[in-house]
Amino acid sequence: MKQRRRVAIAMEIDQPYPHHHEVFLGIQRFAQEHRHWVCLIDEHPGYAMNRRTIDAGYDGVIGRLTKPMQKRLKHGGMPMVNVVYAFHTAGIGGVYLDTTAAGRLAAEHLIDRGFNQLVAVVERTYAQSRLFAQGFVATSEEAGVHCKLVEIDEGKYFNASEWVGFEKSILQVIDGLKPPTGLFITNPSAARLVVQFVQSRGLHVPHDLAVICQHNVLAMVGVPPQITSMDSNLDRVGYEAAALLDRLMEGEAPPDEPILISPKGVIGRETTDYFAVEDELVAEALRYISSHLHTKLRVDDIAYELNVSTRLLQLRFDEVLGIAVSDEVRRLRFEKAKRLLANPDRLIGSIHQKVGFATPYVMNQIFRRELGMSPSAYRKQVLGGD
């Protein structure tokens, strides 16, 4: 049986930071699998006035380790792993999200939807935001897509003048865009502001502006119109950080380089559920289809509503998108079904009606064909269920 390990967790888990909570859950998952671990929450391990100091018997520390905290713990010879890139120090174990890879995925998501004008909006005070932007801009340039980088200051909610300045900076970004544009933004609050301001100017999301956000904070991105975000795999960050600390407590030396965890991918939602096209007929058809997914949507009926022949509509879709009208309808139904499944308040048995699938059985078959799992299994995966 392995020696019992007392591990201090310093994660600011009392604060409403979903990314801290996800990392914490990953740490707990490792602890549950390794029963010799005893996790103890301590936001200030090693602090001289804290009764639970190094002398209290910690075998290791993991979490959001600030520079002063690292100095205290290193002085006491304490094994430690940091999970916040802003505080990374060479020679100290670190496990972080590969933010450059996440930025690349975000750019690819928008480019795949036909947007040839992209904007990356990042908060200048955060190092990881800049790494996101680097991946986003590099991918855009490699694809020959024009990309503009905009840096803004963080909006302080408790300071009225700073908040107004934050709003103005978001408005300036929007007013400088030429539709259709794909926009990546790090802050979920800013992403919601973008959507609000775009709509207040009579523009449409995602047809004029597609939006993708770095952080998957459901309270901000999960309300209509739902905002596409990154699945940052932060649970895995926590798990691998715990695994690294376990090795360090066994005497292994910290790795020379930080361990970077690849993001799972993009969680597609309404703000990017669209192909950017210059062809007016195809664009109008896509708007019509998106707003009528709950109906039968036969190709003849779509053409009738647009006052064109079925043959012309099919021809334009083939020329512009390289896909049949019916195939695009099925794709949009499937994507909307995935969005609805990500909402735990939606009854699975009623979702097929909202997206135009004839029966729950039909939807089940499509999910098994496309994803290799049932709708209920997909919901568990998205919501982090077992």
Side-chain angles (χ1 to χ4, degrees):
M1 184 176 180
K2 280 197 172 186
Q3 180 182 349
R4 187 168 177 263
R5 300 295 190 185
R6 290 166 52 86
V7 178
I9 310 296
M11 284 294 304
E12 287 192 334
I13 59 173
D14 61 323
Q15 298 297 318
Y17 304 143
H19 45 297
H20 288 192
H21 295 171
E22 292 176 38
V23 172
F24 180 76
L25 289 174
I27 297 170
Q28 293 300 310
R29 184 160 59 87
F30 181 90
Q32 289 169 7
E33 295 176 6
H34 299 78
R35 295 297 182 178
H36 63 291
W37 267 50
V38 178
C39 292
L40 303 167
I41 295 174
D42 186 349
E43 295 294 353
H44 301 280
Y47 184 48
M49 295 180 66
N50 188 338
R51 293 179 180 177
R52 292 174 296 179
T53 61
I54 293 172
D55 296 333
Y58 292 142
D59 297 295
V61 178
I62 185 171
R64 183 182 186 274
L65 308 185
T66 62
K67 298 291 186 176
M69 191 184 299
Q70 291 178 23
K71 185 177 180 180
R72 291 198 303 269
L73 296 173
K74 189 174 182 180
H75 179 74
M78 178 66 64
M80 67 185 109
V81 176
N82 177 39
V83 294
V84 175
Y85 180 80
F87 303 131
H88 176 66
T89 302
I92 301 294
V95 180
Y96 317 112
L97 169 69
D98 188 341
T99 46
T100 302
R104 286 187 170 275
L105 283 176
E108 290 170 359
H109 183 77
L110 292 169
I111 292 169
D112 287 346
R113 277 153 179 74
F115 289 91
N116 54 24
Q117 296 183 100
L118 301 182
V119 175
V121 182
V122 300
E123 294 167 304
R124 59 170 54 92
T125 54
Y126 295 107
Q128 279 198 312
S129 293
R130 292 193 293 274
L131 291 176
F132 257 99
Q134 287 177 13
F136 189 89
V137 172
T139 301
S140 303
E141 292 176 347
E142 291 165 8
V145 172
H146 179 264
C147 182
K148 179 181 179 181
L149 176 62
V150 179
E151 292 188 343
I152 61 175
D153 291 317
E154 180 186 11
K156 298 292 193 300
Y157 306 99
F158 50 82
N159 185 303
S161 61
E162 288 192 25
W163 176 253
V164 170
F166 181 61
E167 289 185 319
K168 287 182 178 178
S169 65
I170 298 296
L171 279 170
Q172 288 174 352
V173 171
I174 293 169
D175 290 339
L177 300 179
K178 180 183 177 182
T181 295
L183 182 144
F184 165 76
I185 193 161
T186 53
N187 185 313
S189 300
R192 181 55 60 186
L193 282 177
V194 166
V195 173
Q196 291 176 189
F197 291 151
V198 166
Q199 293 175 328
S200 71
R201 276 161 164 62
L203 299 173
H204 300 282
V205 176
H207 309 93
D208 297 315
L209 183 69
V211 182
I212 182 169
C213 176
Q214 172 185 346
H215 296 298
N216 185 40
V217 182
L218 288 178
M220 300 301 287
V221 303
V223 297
Q226 295 180 347
I227 299 173
T228 293
S229 60
M230 304 300 302
D231 186 342
S232 296
N233 209 9
L234 292 171
D235 172 271
R236 192 70 192 178
V237 171
Y239 188 93
E240 293 300 331
L244 173 59
L245 181 61
D246 197 59
R247 298 194 297 273
L248 297 183
M249 291 188 296
E250 293 293 330
E252 184 177 307
D256 293 332
E257 299 294 332
I259 297 173
L260 300 180
I261 304 300
S262 298
K264 283 185 179 179
V266 175
I267 303 173
R269 297 190 178 97
E270 291 170 271
T271 58
T272 62
D273 195 5
Y274 177 74
F275 277 113
V277 294
E278 296 182 359
D279 187 287
E280 292 184 5
L281 175 58
V282 175
E284 186 179 0
L286 289 172
R287 285 192 289 269
Y288 180 83
I289 293 168
S290 296
S291 61
H292 290 80
L293 288 174
H294 59 286
T295 67
K296 285 187 176 181
L297 277 180
R298 295 180 301 183
V299 179
D300 290 345
D301 295 334
I302 299 171
Y304 176 81
E305 291 294 333
L306 301 180
N307 197 30
V308 297
S309 69
T310 301
R311 184 176 181 279
L312 176 61
L313 184 62
Q314 294 275 29
L315 181 63
R316 289 287 184 84
F317 263 69
D318 185 57
E319 291 176 347
V320 175
L321 300 180
I323 189 173
V325 178
S326 57
D327 289 338
E328 177 62 3
V329 170
R330 279 192 292 271
R331 187 191 73 82
L332 290 172
R333 291 195 201 280
F334 181 61
E335 291 301 322
K336 185 173 182 178
K338 290 198 295 182
R339 290 198 305 272
L340 294 177
L341 284 166
N343 181 348
D345 295 328
R346 291 277 188 180
L347 295 176
I348 293 179
S350 65
I351 288 177
H352 73 283
Q353 298 172 329
K354 301 291 184 182
V355 299
F357 289 131
T359 65
Y361 175 79
V362 170
M363 190 172 86
N364 186 291
Q365 291 299 105
I366 290 172
F367 268 77
R368 290 188 180 279
R369 184 181 70 234
E370 298 295 330
L371 300 178
M373 66 180 72
S374 67
S376 59
Y378 176 77
R379 168 170 282 183
K380 287 182 180 179
Q381 182 186 79
V382 170
L383 298 179
D386 296 327

